[in-house]
Amino acid sequence: MKVFCGRANPTTGAVEWLEEDENYDYHQEIARSCYADMLNDKDRNTKYFQGICAAVDRVKARGEKAVVLDIGTGTGLLSMMAVTAGADFCYAVEVFKPMAEAAVKIVAKNGLRDKIKIINKHSTEVTVGPDGDMQCRANILITELFDTELIGEGALPSYEHAHKYLVQEGCEAVPHRATVYAQLVESERMWSWNKLFPVCIQTEDGEKSIVSPPEMEGCPGAPSVYDIQLNQVPLKDFTALSDVVTMFSVDFSKQVSRAPSCFTVRLEPIRSGRAQVVLSWWDMDLDPEGSIKCTMAPYWVQTASKDPPWRDHWMQCVYFLPKEELVVRGQSVNLAAFRDDYSMWYKLQQVRSEEDKTEVHIESPVCQCQAHLLWNRPRFGELNDRTRTAQYIQALKEVLQPTSICLSVSDGSLLPIVACYLGAEQVFALESSAVSHSLMKKIFKANHLQDQIKIIEKHPDSILSSDLGDKKVSLLIGEPFFSTSLLPWHNLYFWYARTALSSHLTSSVTIFPQSASLHMVIVEFKDLWRIRSPCGTCEGFDVQIMDEMIKNSLDFRESREAEPHPLWEYPCKPLSDPLEVLTFDFREAVPERSIGKEGTVTLLRTGKSHGAVLWMEYNLTSSLSVSTGLVKVSDEKGYCQWTPHCKQAVYFFSTVSAPGTLVDCPSAVAYAISFSPKTGDVTMDFKLLS
């Protein structure tokens, strides 16, 4: 049996569906899962164990048998905790078949198979009765169905069904409740992830501006939350306009409703400012009294803890208000939190009188301008980066001539407008998707350039001379940026596009950027290594079967390749100097033969060599370049400083997932890196040297 999987193809700039082995999707799910991160979350595991022990004790104190329903059991860890705490029997539900099979083995290995039944179903399909999956309803409900947004993994529908059909009324629940908190802030940095700011350009004719279309200004944005490691955002990057407020709580021991809801809290602004963003997180009480608490609160809230527990499976939420609104200190406003089955969003509302009973309409925000469909949050930030934009403008000024026939090849780029403002004779913009075509048409119109920039909705290999007005391109420009790119080198699609367009270029064409290079540095991560680290024993239970399962999936085909991570969120220290490993000359066509390099990089600093980080740098001209990776080798804390707009490629060394292979005090790392023109892929291999 075969399955079809979508993969970015750097040679075509498209996501293509490839036929893969039936085990491919399963191995990807395991290899990229958060299981290792959760099992290594000591704070989470300890508090769950404490909460489970307390729940079992309460049931036993009533003279009842403790029957547990564990929804989303995963490895079976929480069920094993329950049995160890004295539960009489556990029904552990897991819908993912490979995980359910692993749970059976893990439970057996820990000698608990007689008291734990693994049910490989979705919880809403579980039946109760003499011939059912469960002999009787449970009186303890244990779940771990939560994501960063709390409800994004379908917790509410699962709880609603469980209370109706699977557990007793008044059951114990672990966790007992969850509470969502919010804080209203002003932040130009975060707002730049949601709106397009004006761009000012100095030209020979004076200052000109790039502005966004009206529909973008009033657009509520993307409906999805932006989940990030808020602990990596410095206090200087936002201003709190309110204290932290409690928005709502969910009591999991009682009937839960999935029906859309609205929760309103009256805010007293602590300072005046522009309300732009709501920062939000949650905590959970593992017992009714709230004495066992697990919180996702960021560092400025957890005053008692300078270094909050690190976890990647639960982070913090950034919600963008539909529009920027002024709030005044001392003048109350209402902050409304809306939710449906799987998501949440926020709005500011005027304080209404008691007599005003206007019905609140709960409608999820929908992007109306198309920008939020094409550009993700980091892309908005990239387009709003004034320093980066200034580099492109300066570089274009160096190469653009009044006679330039300019063609832009990038998804939703502002470079065609810059070229137009700087005086190019004619400008074409290649937009290969209907969405990017439609969006750029609106932006060009908002800047009164709809008659000066021609949009061509074609792939490069389909371009005809007539599309370009029977003219040859003398200046080919790109950032490059393509929305389908996942890894840094996927934007080398610009090179393939340039090659396909060769017949439409003048013999003296200027290519911008003229070249690119792949760079690398060996690093020690502060925490990110935990997502690939084996657990071995978790709270006294042997979970090595899970470790082996993850390792096998990582070793399955290309699962042992680099993976994208936004490293500004994940501190790491450089153990080597940065090194240029491959170069790509865009002035020439894509070669037929592979480009490769082998060598060793010396480790100059002591530390644990967790992996290699790779990124691209683009040489706009011979003297100007932009980086998609390392901005500064070491900050005041010794950590690398990364560009916040791009994901870097992280290749974890095998020593992270298999500590037994660790080389004592390695002095260097041998590497072999190769670029295949046929596939557009970069393959790599590393070996630690003593």
Side-chain angles (χ1 to χ4, degrees):
M1 177 180 170
K2 299 289 185 179
V3 296
F4 288 91
C5 298
R7 296 183 67 194
N9 185 338
T11 69
T12 64
V15 173
E16 297 179 352
W17 292 95
L18 303 179
E19 188 176 298
E20 299 284 2
D21 182 272
E22 63 178 323
N23 291 320
Y24 175 85
D25 217 19
Y26 145 65
H27 283 295
Q28 286 292 302
E29 175 76 16
I30 296 296
R32 306 298 181 221
S33 70
C34 291
Y35 290 119
D37 178 28
M38 290 187 288
L39 291 173
N40 282 298
D41 187 343
K42 179 69 175 175
D43 180 68
R44 163 194 177 270
N45 298 336
T46 299
K47 288 171 180 175
Y48 255 102
F49 208 166
Q50 292 171 351
I52 289 169
C53 289
V56 172
D57 287 345
R58 289 193 298 275
V59 170
K60 292 288 189 178
R62 296 196 293 264
E64 302 174 18
K65 283 190 174 183
V67 180
V68 173
L69 171 62
D70 174 11
I71 300 177
T73 194
T75 59
L77 176 65
L78 302 185
S79 287
M80 293 189 293
M81 289 179 178
V83 170
T84 303
D88 295 280
F89 199 81
C90 288
Y91 296 100
V93 181
E94 174 57 52
V95 68
F96 186 36
K97 186 177 180 180
M99 197 69 252
E101 292 172 347
V104 170
K105 297 176 184 176
I106 291 170
V107 166
K109 189 171 184 180
N110 285 275
L112 301 173
R113 68 167 66 182
D114 293 338
K115 289 195 172 185
I116 299 175
K117 178 183 179 181
I118 306 295
I119 303 171
N120 181 208
K121 285 184 177 182
H122 193 283
S123 64
T124 57
E125 298 172 345
V126 171
T127 57
V128 179
D131 299 320
D133 301 304
M134 299 171 61
Q135 291 295 299
C136 62
R137 288 185 176 233
N139 54 11
I140 300 177
L141 175 58
I142 300 173
T143 66
E144 210 282 54
L145 299 171
F146 314 115
D147 66 350
T148 294
E149 201 174 17
L150 181 66
I151 62 175
E153 292 185 0
L156 296 180
S158 296
Y159 270 111
E160 182 181 63
H161 178 272
H163 276 288
K164 284 182 178 178
Y165 303 107
L166 305 179
V167 298
Q168 297 175 15
E169 185 176 353
C171 71
E172 300 291 340
V174 183
H176 181 81
R177 79 176 65 84
T179 304
V180 174
Y181 302 90
Q183 187 170 30
L184 189 65
V185 305
E186 175 182 338
S187 172
E188 182 173 354
R189 178 185 178 186
M190 296 184 201
W191 196 237
S192 76
W193 299 336
N194 185 55
K195 299 290 183 181
L196 183 62
F197 296 170
V199 178
C200 295
I201 303 172
Q202 292 292 337
T203 73
E204 292 181 355
D205 300 325
E207 186 176 274
K208 296 184 178 181
S209 295
I210 301 175
V211 297
S212 57
E215 50 264 65
M216 192 183 295
E217 288 299 312
C219 180
S224 57
V225 65
Y226 191 23
D227 53 337
I228 65 171
Q229 293 282 359
L230 208 50
N231 287 319
Q232 297 307 315
V233 177
L235 287 174
K236 65 180 178 63
D237 282 357
F238 65 93
T239 301
L241 301 180
S242 77
D243 291 325
V244 176
V245 295
T246 300
M247 292 307 302
F248 65 91
S249 293
V250 183
D251 186 336
F252 297 124
S253 69
K254 300 176 181 177
Q255 181 61 57
V256 173
S257 173
R258 65 188 294 178
S261 301
C262 173
F263 308 90
T264 302
V265 173
R266 181 172 294 191
L267 285 183
E268 299 291 340
I270 58 175
R271 58 178 56 87
S272 301
R274 297 171 297 158
Q276 299 166 324
V277 170
V278 175
L279 305 181
S280 184
W281 57 89
W282 53 270
D283 64 26
M284 58 182 177
D285 295 320
L286 283 301
D287 65 332
E289 297 76 27
S291 61
I292 308 169
K293 190 181 293 289
C294 185
T295 181
M296 284 3 100
Y299 65 92
W300 66 87
V301 178
Q302 295 193 56
T303 53
S305 175
K306 291 184 178 180
D307 195 12
W310 185 86
R311 47 176 69 96
D312 205 44
H313 54 106
W314 296 329
M315 294 185 280
Q316 294 80 32
C317 302
V318 176
Y319 294 95
F320 304 99
L321 293 174
K323 62 179 185 296
E324 180 180 278
E325 297 187 44
L326 289 175
V327 296
V328 179
R329 181 181 178 183
Q331 294 184 11
S332 300
V333 293
N334 283 340
L335 179 62
F338 301 84
R339 69 154 180 81
D340 55 21
D341 285 18
Y342 294 94
S343 60
M344 293 174 53
W345 59 99
Y346 286 84
K347 290 183 182 179
L348 275 185
Q349 299 174 334
Q350 295 300 314
V351 175
R352 294 181 292 189
S353 65
E354 290 297 323
E355 293 78 23
D356 187 355
K357 300 296 183 182
T358 306
E359 184 178 348
V360 176
H361 294 282
I362 303 173
E363 294 182 359
S364 175
V366 177
C367 174
Q368 301 161 353
C369 69
Q370 297 183 301
H372 302 91
L373 304 179
L374 181 66
W375 300 333
N376 58 20
R377 275 62 178 257
R379 175 58 172 168
F380 268 99
E382 187 171 61
L383 291 172
N384 287 320
D385 186 329
R386 294 183 180 91
T387 301
R388 177 181 182 274
T389 298
Q391 288 178 293
Y392 277 90
I393 293 172
Q394 182 182 345
L396 266 180
K397 285 180 177 179
E398 291 183 17
V399 299
L400 190 140
Q401 303 295 326
T403 56
S404 293
I405 305 299
C406 180
L407 174 61
S408 171
V409 182
S410 277
D411 286 349
S413 176
L414 302 180
L415 288 183
I417 301 180
V418 176
C420 213
Y421 282 170
L422 293 180
E425 179 179 321
Q426 193 161 1
V427 179
F428 299 91
L430 193 63
E431 300 289 349
S432 55
S433 76
V435 173
S436 61
H437 184 159
S438 177
L439 172 63
M440 298 315 297
K441 185 177 180 180
K442 294 176 185 176
I443 294 176
F444 296 159
K445 184 178 180 180
N447 290 278
H448 311 290
L449 297 173
Q450 65 270 30
D451 297 326
Q452 298 180 50
I453 302 175
K454 180 183 177 182
I455 302 175
I456 304 172
E457 189 183 328
K458 285 187 175 182
H459 287 280
D461 54 6
S462 302
I463 293 288
L464 303 175
S465 180
S466 57
D467 295 321
L468 299 168
D470 295 319
K471 296 180 179 180
K472 294 281 188 178
V473 174
S474 59
L475 177 59
L476 183 69
I477 63 175
E479 299 184 38
F481 169 83
F482 302 99
S483 56
T484 56
S485 297
L486 298 175
L487 291 162
W489 46 86
H490 286 173
N491 282 324
L492 286 175
Y493 171 60
F494 176 79
W495 200 10
Y496 291 89
R498 173 258 180 269
T499 302
L501 291 164
S502 292
S503 63
H504 301 291
L505 308 178
T506 64
S507 58
S508 59
V509 65
T510 298
I511 309 296
F512 176 100
Q514 63 181 27
S515 63
S517 50
L518 181 66
H519 295 249
M520 174 185 78
V521 66
I522 309 302
V523 302
E524 175 184 22
F525 285 107
K526 182 182 179 213
D527 295 298
L528 188 62
W529 61 273
R530 300 176 195 275
I531 69 171
R532 295 288 170 263
S533 175
C535 185
T537 300
C538 183
E539 298 302 308
F541 301 102
D542 187 340
V543 293
Q544 290 186 62
I545 291 171
M546 186 70 234
D547 294 338
E548 293 165 8
M549 190 175 176
I550 293 173
K551 184 178 183 302
N552 290 339
S553 290
L554 285 169
D555 290 338
F556 182 79
R557 281 209 18 218
E558 91 295 356
S559 295
R560 178 64 77 180
E561 66 177 11
E563 53 193 76
H565 289 283
L567 291 188
W568 73 268
E569 297 183 54
Y570 304 102
C572 60
K573 293 184 177 181
L575 300 184
S576 72
D577 284 340
L579 174 72
E580 181 183 290
V581 288
L582 296 179
T583 58
F584 312 93
D585 190 347
F586 297 157
R587 293 166 296 188
E588 303 293 334
V590 176
E592 293 184 1
R593 293 186 177 181
S594 295
I595 302 172
K597 186 175 182 180
E598 296 183 5
T600 58
V601 55
T602 303
L603 300 181
L604 305 176
R605 303 164 191 89
T606 57
K608 295 180 180 178
S609 301
H610 289 138
V613 177
L614 300 99
W615 67 95
M616 297 290 289
E617 293 190 4
Y618 294 100
N619 303 307
L620 305 182
T621 66
S622 57
S623 58
L624 280 172
S625 64
V626 293
S627 174
T628 68
L630 197 62
V631 175
K632 191 176 181 181
V633 175
S634 183
D635 63 13
E636 63 276 5
K637 294 183 179 180
Y639 293 124
C640 299
Q641 185 178 333
W642 303 95
T643 175
H645 313 309
C646 307
K647 290 183 178 181
Q648 291 72 41
V650 177
Y651 186 101
F652 287 104
F653 295 155
S654 59
T655 51
V656 174
S657 57
T661 62
L662 186 65
V663 175
D664 289 333
C665 300
S667 60
V669 176
Y671 65 89
I673 299 176
S674 178
F675 168 74
S676 167
K678 184 177 180 181
T679 64
D681 288 331
V682 172
T683 56
M684 60 199 72
D685 191 32
F686 297 90
K687 184 178 181 181
L688 297 182
L689 305 175
S690 57

